[in-house]
């Protein structure tokens, strides 16, 4: 009996409305035809129906579908990746064009087996998308790429419109939640990215409900701002399977609203906070200024 009580019942505000209209089915078909992966599917994102069916946006996951890390919160498959697909950047660019996206989010599995951590393919994907879609803004969400400064430089040289790297959780829980990654390495990546391209906004996300305290969440905000992070996202952790970490608390929407208010007082230019918020949730709304600037330069 006691074992069953370890699982907290999911509250009503986390119920997801399913929508499988033509946008959803068409996007799914396009991804399969082009042999592309999306973090929307692989990470079992709760917003897939809203993003695919209503907003017609998707987050591409490059460098394959197998991650070299096994973080205890993530549903993406882990193991030994296959060879590198050098044609992937062009396929992503073509898909962005077919979808007529105004904003494209590109993430990737961690590739610790690659010397550059996948930075070269990331950079080429940015350039390929931009060649085919000059008015599309591009957000990238890389791993820490082993903390190698040259890898970060390769990525930032391609000038994405937003550099997004997730801190994922508070400092105290990082060793239990993340695999190989460290809290300070993530802060260092965000700091280096801003130093390399000061005009490019940086962004980071945290999931809550893993046992952190309010004080620790606020300290994470302070740590991100101390490294000049511009945008923050705060979402509820949802256990993807029984082998992953259990949810310790479901935060009420009012608590997310309070955290958003605190974040904005800290100096973030934008903060998304809510039970279903994920790193790229409503990402298109966060780059309106970048989009306007790109069109003005044309």
């Amino acid at each position: 009996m006691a074992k069953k009580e370890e699982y907290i019942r999911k509250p009503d505000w986390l119920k997801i409305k399913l929508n499988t209209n033509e946008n959803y089915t068409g996007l799914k078909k396009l991804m399969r035809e082009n042999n592309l992966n999306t973090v929307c599917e692989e990470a079992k994102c709760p917003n897939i129906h809203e993003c695919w069916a209503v907003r017609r946006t998707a987050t591409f996951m490059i460098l394959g579908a197998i991650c070299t890390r096994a973080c205890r919160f993530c549903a993406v498959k882990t193991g030994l990746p296959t060879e590198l697909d050098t044609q992937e950047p062009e396929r992503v660019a073509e898909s962005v064009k077919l979808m007529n996206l105004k904003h494209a989010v590109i993430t990737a599995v961690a590739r610790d087996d690659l010397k550059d951590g996948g930075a070269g393919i990331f950079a080429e994907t940015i350039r390929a998308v931009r060649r085919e879609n000059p008015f599309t803004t591009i957000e990238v969400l890389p791993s820490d790429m082993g903390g190698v400064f040259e890898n970060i430089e390769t990525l930032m040289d391609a000038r994405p419109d937003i550099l997004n790297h997730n801190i994922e959780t508070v400092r105290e829980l990082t060793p239990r939640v993340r695999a190989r990654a460290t809290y300070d390495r993530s802060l260092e990546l965000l700091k280096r990215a801003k130093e390399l391209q000061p005009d490019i906004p940086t962004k980071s996300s945290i999931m809550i409900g893993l046992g952190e305290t309010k004080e620790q969440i606020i300290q994470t905000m302070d740590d991100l701002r101390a490294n000049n992070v511009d945008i923050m996202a705060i979402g509820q952790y949802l256990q993807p399977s029984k082998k992953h970490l259990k949810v310790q608390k479901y935060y009420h929407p009012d608590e997310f609203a309070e955290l958003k208010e605190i974040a904005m007082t800290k100096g973030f230019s934008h903060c998304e906070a809510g039970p279903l918020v994920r790193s790229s949730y409503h990402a298109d709304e966060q780059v309106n200024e970048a989009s306007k600037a790109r069109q003005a330069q044309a």
Side-chain angles (χ1 to χ4, degrees):
M1 184 71 177
K3 193 170 183 180
K4 288 184 180 178
E5 290 174 353
E6 291 177 9
Y7 290 92
I8 307 168
R9 186 173 178 177
K10 193 178 288 187
D12 289 342
W13 60 78
L14 281 170
K15 288 181 180 176
I16 301 162
K17 184 179 179 182
L18 301 183
N19 192 333
T20 53
N21 64 14
E22 288 182 5
N23 279 346
Y24 179 89
T25 55
L27 199 49
K28 195 176 185 75
K29 184 171 181 283
L30 179 68
M31 294 299 177
R32 297 297 78 78
E33 287 175 348
N34 285 278
N35 194 29
L36 294 170
N37 300 298
T38 69
V39 76
C40 320
E41 296 169 290
E42 299 296 334
K44 301 180 180 177
C45 181
N47 303 308
I48 187 170
H49 289 86
E50 178 191 353
C51 293
W52 284 29
V54 181
R55 302 180 75 91
R56 198 162 171 78
T57 61
T59 300
F60 298 92
M61 190 171 78
I62 62 173
L63 298 170
I66 301 174
C67 186
T68 53
R69 301 182 186 181
C71 296
R72 297 190 67 204
F73 65 89
C74 184
V76 174
K77 293 187 289 289
T78 63
L80 189 65
T82 54
E83 69 281 355
L84 206 58
D85 183 355
T86 57
Q87 299 304 309
E88 192 171 41
E90 295 299 333
R91 293 204 310 278
V92 171
E94 184 61 27
S95 296
V96 169
K97 188 175 183 179
L98 289 170
M99 291 162 63
N100 193 28
L101 295 185
K102 292 180 181 177
H103 182 67
V105 182
I106 303 163
T107 188
V109 293
R111 290 293 301 261
D112 297 308
D113 59 313
L114 300 175
K115 187 176 180 182
D116 72 347
I121 293 290
F122 243 120
E124 185 48 46
T125 303
I126 295 168
R127 295 187 181 103
V129 171
R130 193 153 281 153
R131 281 195 300 269
E132 291 292 326
N133 312 272
F135 299 122
T136 299
T137 49
I138 302 168
E139 176 175 333
V140 292
L141 175 54
S143 72
D144 58 28
M145 292 183 289
V148 179
F149 181 62
E150 288 78 9
N151 297 342
I152 303 165
E153 190 170 10
T154 296
L155 179 59
M156 295 307 291
D157 278 349
R159 290 193 55 81
D161 292 288
I162 289 186
L163 183 283
N164 183 353
H165 174 71
N166 292 339
I167 198 81
E168 305 291 12
T169 187
V170 300
R171 179 185 292 277
E172 291 79 0
L173 295 182
T174 296
R176 185 163 66 92
V177 174
R178 304 174 75 189
R180 300 193 194 180
T182 70
Y183 189 86
D184 287 315
R185 187 189 291 169
S186 286
L187 289 177
E188 180 70 14
L189 182 145
L190 290 159
K191 177 186 176 184
R192 293 292 186 105
K194 180 62 79 172
E195 288 173 348
L196 287 163
Q197 303 285 355
D199 61 320
I200 293 178
T202 52
K203 173 180 172 183
S204 194
S205 304
I206 181 174
M207 50 192 170
I208 56 178
L210 286 160
E212 67 291 314
T213 66
K214 183 178 178 181
E215 290 72 26
Q216 289 170 341
I217 297 171
I218 293 171
Q219 182 59 55
T220 304
M221 293 179 187
D222 288 336
D223 291 340
L224 291 172
R225 285 299 300 135
N227 288 278
N228 296 312
V229 174
D230 303 289
I231 302 166
M232 186 178 189
I234 308 168
Q236 172 69 52
Y237 168 67
L238 298 175
Q239 185 181 9
S241 78
K242 288 184 178 180
K243 71 177 183 179
H244 292 87
L245 292 168
K246 295 183 182 71
V247 175
Q248 300 298 316
K249 174 185 176 178
Y250 286 112
Y251 284 75
H252 190 274
D254 290 346
E255 293 178 281
F256 279 103
E258 182 189 4
L259 289 171
K260 177 175 181 175
E261 191 174 321
I262 293 170
M264 294 306 290
T265 66
K266 298 286 183 182
F268 290 100
S269 63
H270 189 95
C271 177
E272 286 281 353
L276 295 177
V277 166
R278 293 297 179 265
S279 185
S280 54
Y281 186 66
H282 291 188
D284 52 327
E285 295 177 359
Q286 297 162 23
V287 286
N288 285 338
E289 293 307 313
S291 179
K292 289 175 186 174
R294 182 167 297 286
Q295 291 187 38
Q297 291 169 7

